[in-house]
Amino acid sequence: MTSINEMELQTIRHLIMANDTLSCKMADYAQEAQTPEIKQYFQKASQTAAEAKTKLLTFLK
């Protein structure tokens, strides 16, 4: 695997942080949701963001 430069590393770091924040916010919104459909929507969004974060972390290994 080729090494990444400083700018790419910083971009990945920012994306990881953004997806972590998004996952937490969506999970909080899901807890507050009143209807099952909205709750499911936010749970799925939280899961998707968490998966994106995990995938981005693989670039740092």
Side-chain angles (χ1 to χ4, degrees):
M1 181 163 115
T2 60
S3 60
I4 59 176
N5 64 38
E6 184 69 25
M7 182 182 231
E8 292 167 328
L9 179 62
Q10 292 301 324
T11 300
I12 291 170
R13 185 177 68 86
H14 286 285
L15 290 170
I16 289 168
M17 290 172 40
N19 277 293
D20 187 45
T21 301
L22 182 61
S23 177
C24 291
K25 282 185 176 184
M26 295 297 115
D28 287 344
Y29 295 156
Q31 285 184 329
E32 299 296 322
Q34 300 296 314
T35 62
E37 295 84 7
I38 300 298
K39 185 178 199 77
Q40 183 179 16
Y41 174 82
F42 284 125
Q43 287 172 333
K44 177 65 175 155
S46 176
Q47 180 182 359
T48 301
E51 289 168 357
K53 175 189 167 190
T54 300
K55 189 169 186 178
L56 285 164
L57 284 169
T58 64
F59 288 104
L60 302 180
K61 293 182 180 179

